[in-house]
C-alpha cells in the first residue's frame, strides 16, 4: 500500500477538447448527472491521497468555479489544489505546470481529465503494484475492440514495455495494436521530474507528450510496468459527443445492474435513467422512461409507472406513482399515491397515505396523512392537516403580486369543487367549504363556509327551440 501521505493524484483537465465542438470545457460535460471531472475526483478521493491537483487551462475560471461550487454536492472532502497551465502544448506540459505540487510527494498518480468510467479499485490496484515494485512508472493498459484514436502500447519481444506511440504518429502496423494507453499512470515523482526535462515536441501539433516520459524513464534503467486492466470500458476517453453518449450508457448500465442486484425490478433496464448514488428498495418496480436523479431515496415495494421524473426526493415504501408524475426536492411518505401527471414542486411533504391526482400541482406545502387532492388543483404555501378532502379544481391564491401567503386547512376539512382560498386564510377542523366558493376569511371549526352568489332562474330565457 502506498503511504497516503506520500501520494498525490494529478488530474489533467486543461486541454481544449476541440473535438467536443462545444463552448463548455470538456471536463464539465455531464455523464449521469454530474461532470466528467466529478467522477474522476470521486475515484481519486477513494484512494485517500494527501492531495488532488487539477491542472486547468482552457476556460480555467469556468472549470475552477464549477468544481468549487460542486465539491460539497459530489462528496469531495479531500484537499483539492488547482494548477494553471498557461501554455497548452500537451499533456506533459500540463504535468510540468504542476511541478511545485509534485515535488512535495514521492508518488504521483496522473489521470487524464476525460475518463469518467475509471474505477477507484483499479487505481488502488495500480498504486499497490507500483509500490511493491522497483518501477519508475506504471501505466494502465487495456485491450479494446476499437483502438482508433488512442496511444498504442509497444512491447518488446519479451513482453516488456517499450514505448507508447500516439495514434497520429502510428504507422499501419502499429495501428493494428489493440493494447492502448488508458491515460492513467503511477510515477515515481523524482523519475517523472527528470524525464520531463528531456522531452522534445512531437506529432503534427508539436506537443509535449506525457506518454514519452515512460520511454525516457525506461532509458534511465528503471522498469516501466504495464498494468493490464480487466474492464476495458473504464478507459473510455471522452473526446466527442458520441463517446460522451457511450460513457453515459455504460454508466447507466452499471447503475441498473447494481440496483437489480439489490432486488429492484427494472422492467426495461436500458430504458431508465437512474443516477449513481440513487437508492431504491427491494421489489420496487421502475417502468421505462423514468428519470431518477440526485440524492433521491426510494423505499421498497413501490410501483413507479413510466415517464416519472424524481429528483433529490425521499419516497417511502409502498408508494404508487402513476404515469408522468414529476417530483422535485420533496418528501413522500409510505403508501401515498400520485398521478397520473401529478407535480410536486420543491419543499412539498406528503404524509402517509396522501393522494395527489391528475394534473394537481403542490408547492412548498404539507399534505396531511390520508388527505386527498385528486383532480386539477393547485396547492401552494399550505399547511393541510389529516383526512382532508379537496374537491376538483381547488386553487390556493397564494400570491398577491408581491408576496406569498399561507393557507391553513386543518384536519378533516371537506372542500367542495372549484374553491379559491385567498391567502392568508385559515379553515379550522371539520369545517366544510361549499363548491365554487372564494374563501377570504377564517372559517371556524365544524362550520360551513360558503361564498358564492345564489342561483337565479329566469323562465323562458333559455335556448329557443327550433332556432
Ligand atoms: C491521450 C494520450 C493517449 C491515450 C489517451 C487515453 C497523450 C499524449 N496521449 O490522448 O496515449 O491513449 O489519452 O484517453 O497524453 N491536457 C492538458 N493540457 C494540454 C493537453 C491536454 O491538460 O495541453 C489534458 C486534457 O484535458 C485531457 C488529457 O490531457 O484530459 C489528455 O489529452 P487529450 O487531448 O484528450 O489526449 P488524447 O489524444 O486523448
Ligand atoms: Ca482524450
Amino acid at each position: 500500500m502506498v503511504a497516503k501521505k506520500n501520494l498525490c493524484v494529478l488530474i489533467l483537465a486543461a486541454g481544449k477538447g476541440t473535438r467536443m465542438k462545444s463552448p463548455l470545457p470538456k471536463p464539465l460535460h455531464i455523464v449521469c448527472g454530474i461532470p466528467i471531472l466529478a467522477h474522476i475526483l470521486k475515484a481519486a478521493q477513494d484512494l485517500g491521497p494527501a492531495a488532488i491537483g487539477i491542472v486547468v487551462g482552457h476556460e480555467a475560471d469556468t472549470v475552477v468555479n464549477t468544481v468549487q461550487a460542486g465539491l460539497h454536492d459530489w462528496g469531495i472532502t479531500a484537499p483539492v489544489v488547482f494548477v494553471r497551465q498557461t501554455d497548452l502544448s500537451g499533456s506533459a506540459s500540463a504535468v510540468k505546470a504542476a511541478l511545485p505540487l509534485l515535488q512535495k510527494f514521492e508518488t504521483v498518480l496522473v489521470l487524464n481529465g476525460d475518463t469518467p468510467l475509471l474505477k477507484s479499485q483499479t487505481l488502488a490496484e495500480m498504486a499497490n503494484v507500483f509500490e511493491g515494485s522497483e518501477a519508475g512508472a506504471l501505466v494502465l493498459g487495456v485491450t479494446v475492440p476499437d483502438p482508433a484514436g488512442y496511444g498504442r502500447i509497444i512491447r518488446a519481444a519479451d513482453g516488456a514495455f517499450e514505448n507508447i506511440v500516439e495514434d497520429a504518429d502510428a504507422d499501419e502496423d502499429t495501428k493494428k495494436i489493440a493494447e492502448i494507453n488508458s491515460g492513467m499512470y503511477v510515477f515515481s515523482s523524482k523519475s517523472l521530474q527528470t524525464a520531463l526535462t528531456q522531452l522534445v515536441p512531437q506529432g503534427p501539433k508539436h506537443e509535449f507528450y506525457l506518454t514519452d516520459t515512460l520511454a525516457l524513464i525506461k532509458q534511465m534503467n528503471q522498469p516501466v510496468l504495464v498494468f493490464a486492466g480487466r474492464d476495458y470500458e473504464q478507459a473510455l476517453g471522452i473526446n466527442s459527443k458520441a463517446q460522451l453518449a457511450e460513457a453515459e450508457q455504460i454508466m447507466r448500465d452499471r447503475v441498473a445492474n447494481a440496483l437489480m442486484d439489490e432486488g429492484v425490478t427494472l422492467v426495461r433496464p436500458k430504458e431508465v435513467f437512474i443516477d449513481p448514488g440513487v437508492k431504491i428498495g427491494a421489489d420496487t418496480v421502475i417502468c421505462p422512461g423514468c428519470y431518477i436523479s440526485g440524492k433521491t431515496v426510494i423505499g421498497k415495494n413501490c410501483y413507479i409507472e413510466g415517464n416519472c421524473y424524481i429528483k433529490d426526493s425521499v419516497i417511502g415504501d409502498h408508494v404508487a406513482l402513476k404515469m408522468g408524475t414529476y417530483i422535485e426536492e420533496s418528501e413522500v411518505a409510505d403508501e401515498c399515491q400520485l398521478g397520473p401527471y401529478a407535480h410536486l414542486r420543491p419543499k412539498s411533504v406528503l404524509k402517509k397515505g396522501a393522494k395527489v391526482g391528475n394534473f394537481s400541482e403542490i408547492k412548498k406545502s404539507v399534505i396531511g396523512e390520508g388527505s386527498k387532492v385528486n383532480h386539477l388543483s393547485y396547492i401552494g404555501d399550505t399547511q393541510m392537516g389529516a383526512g382532508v378532502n379537496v374537491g376538483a379544481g381547488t386553487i390556493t391564491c397564494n400570491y398577491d403580486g408581491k408576496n406569498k401567503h399561507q393557507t391553513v386547512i386543518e384536519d378533516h376539512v371537506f372542500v367542495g369543487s372549484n374553491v379559491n382560498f385567498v391567502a392568508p386564510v385559515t379553515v379550522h377542523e371539520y369545517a366544510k367549504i361549499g363548491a365554487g366558493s372564494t374563501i377570504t376569511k377564517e372559517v371556524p371549526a365544524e362550520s360551513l363556509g360558503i361564498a358564492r352568489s345564489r342561483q337565479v332562474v329566469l323562465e323562458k330565457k333559455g335556448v329557443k327551440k327550433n332556432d
Side-chain angles (χ1 to χ4, degrees):
M1 203 58 190
V2 182
K4 309 284 191 205
K5 68 177 181 359
N6 293 326
L7 175 71
C8 164
V9 176
L10 187 67
I11 304 172
L12 312 185
K16 283 208 181 98
T18 321
R19 291 164 279 179
M20 295 298 280
K21 307 266 169 67
S22 163
L24 185 70
K26 182 162 78 168
L28 302 185
H29 280 270
I30 303 291
V31 174
C32 290
I34 57 172
I36 292 172
L37 192 48
H39 291 287
I40 299 174
L41 279 167
K42 279 165 172 270
Q45 168 167 280
D46 285 351
L47 278 180
I52 302 177
I54 305 178
V55 185
V56 292
H58 176 67
E59 294 286 346
D61 291 341
T62 313
V63 178
V64 172
N65 293 339
T66 309
V67 170
Q68 274 171 342
L71 286 173
H72 176 77
D73 267 6
W74 307 330
I76 307 296
T77 49
V80 172
V81 183
F82 294 96
V83 173
R84 304 247 170 184
Q85 180 192 0
T86 43
D87 162 28
L88 300 183
S89 56
S91 46
S93 309
V95 177
K96 253 189 207 164
L99 277 178
L101 175 69
L102 305 186
Q103 279 158 358
K104 297 182 195 156
F105 299 93
E106 267 173 34
T107 308
V108 186
L109 197 131
V110 178
L111 304 172
N112 280 356
D114 63 358
T115 52
L117 299 174
L118 80 179
K119 291 180 176 165
S120 57
Q121 196 197 337
T122 306
L123 302 182
E125 285 169 13
M126 287 165 62
N128 285 340
V129 169
F130 179 81
E131 193 64 8
S133 74
E134 297 295 308
L138 174 149
V139 55
L140 175 69
V142 293
T143 301
V144 295
D146 177 14
Y150 291 99
R152 311 300 203 282
I153 295 180
I154 314 294
R155 291 178 183 261
D158 63 356
F161 174 86
E162 194 112 288
N163 65 335
I164 292 173
V165 175
E166 289 306 307
D167 191 68
D169 311 321
D171 59 25
E172 285 312 306
D173 279 345
T174 309
K175 282 195 172 165
K176 288 185 192 132
I177 297 173
E179 191 182 23
I180 60 116
N181 163 27
S182 66
M184 300 174 214
Y185 323 79
V186 189
F187 290 98
S188 136
S189 179
K190 283 220 173 71
S191 313
L192 176 61
Q193 288 167 48
T194 312
L196 284 171
T197 62
Q198 298 170 17
L199 288 172
V200 287
Q202 299 276 17
K205 293 192 211 149
H206 300 284
E207 283 181 79
F208 292 92
Y209 292 163
L210 179 61
T211 45
D212 283 350
T213 60
L214 297 169
L216 289 168
I217 290 170
K218 193 180 145 82
Q219 281 163 31
M220 288 152 46
N221 287 326
Q222 296 175 19
V224 173
L225 304 179
V226 180
F227 181 84
R230 283 180 297 273
D231 161 15
Y232 72 82
E233 288 175 332
Q234 63 181 314
L236 177 68
I238 311 293
N239 300 309
S240 64
K241 291 287 173 70
Q243 286 168 328
L244 185 70
E246 203 181 332
E248 173 95 12
Q249 186 59 58
I250 293 168
M251 200 173 286
R252 296 273 180 224
D253 288 348
R254 280 186 190 169
V255 171
N257 289 333
L259 288 170
M260 290 189 286
D261 283 348
E262 298 290 315
V264 179
T265 305
L266 302 179
V267 176
R268 278 181 171 272
K270 292 230 179 267
E271 292 173 32
V272 291
F273 305 88
I274 306 176
D275 281 1
V278 166
K279 294 186 177 62
I280 305 179
D283 281 333
T284 283
V285 178
I286 316 272
C287 295
C290 289
Y291 282 81
I292 306 176
S293 63
K295 298 182 170 62
T296 296
V297 179
I298 300 176
K300 53 184 193 292
N301 292 302
C302 295
Y303 198 95
I304 303 187
E305 291 185 3
N307 300 338
C308 288
Y309 177 98
I310 309 169
K311 185 179 179 203
D312 293 328
S313 295
V314 179
I315 313 284
D317 300 334
H318 299 278
V319 170
L321 303 184
K322 296 206 170 139
M323 183 76 93
T325 293
Y326 191 106
I327 302 178
E328 260 184 300
E329 293 171 44
S330 290
E331 284 171 43
V332 175
D334 297 349
E335 293 165 36
C336 286
Q337 290 183 38
L338 286 96
Y341 306 104
H343 185 182
L344 299 191
R345 288 170 53 202
K347 298 194 179 136
S348 297
V349 177
L350 269 56
K351 303 278 191 187
K352 188 174 175 190
K355 285 188 185 174
V356 174
N358 348 219
F359 307 108
S360 286
E361 172 182 338
I362 313 288
K363 188 216 81 174
K364 211 176 178 182
S365 295
V366 176
I367 307 297
E369 192 168 326
S371 290
K372 297 175 188 165
V373 185
N374 272 340
H375 326 271
L376 300 157
S377 291
Y378 170 60
I379 304 294
D381 303 298
T382 297
Q383 294 292 317
M384 189 184 293
V388 171
N389 190 92
V390 175
T394 293
I395 306 292
T396 52
C397 311
N398 57 332
Y399 186 48
D400 61 12
K402 278 200 187 120
N403 297 305
K404 300 280 166 67
H405 300 283
Q406 290 283 316
T407 299
V408 177
I409 303 173
E410 291 184 356
D411 295 351
H412 303 291
V413 166
F414 183 92
V415 181
S417 293
N418 197 30
V419 166
N420 301 313
F421 290 106
V422 180
V425 69
T426 297
V427 182
H428 292 279
E429 57 178 11
Y430 291 97
K432 213 184 242 184
I433 307 296
S437 295
T438 293
I439 299 297
T440 54
K441 288 191 237 144
E442 189 170 2
V443 180
E446 296 172 49
S447 50
L448 171 68
I450 186 158
R452 66 184 186 219
S453 49
R454 281 185 183 277
Q455 183 171 331
V456 176
V457 174
L458 303 175
E459 280 175 19
K460 304 284 183 203
K461 290 282 184 187
V463 179
K464 289 211 172 65
K465 279 189 182 164
N466 306 323
D467 236 13

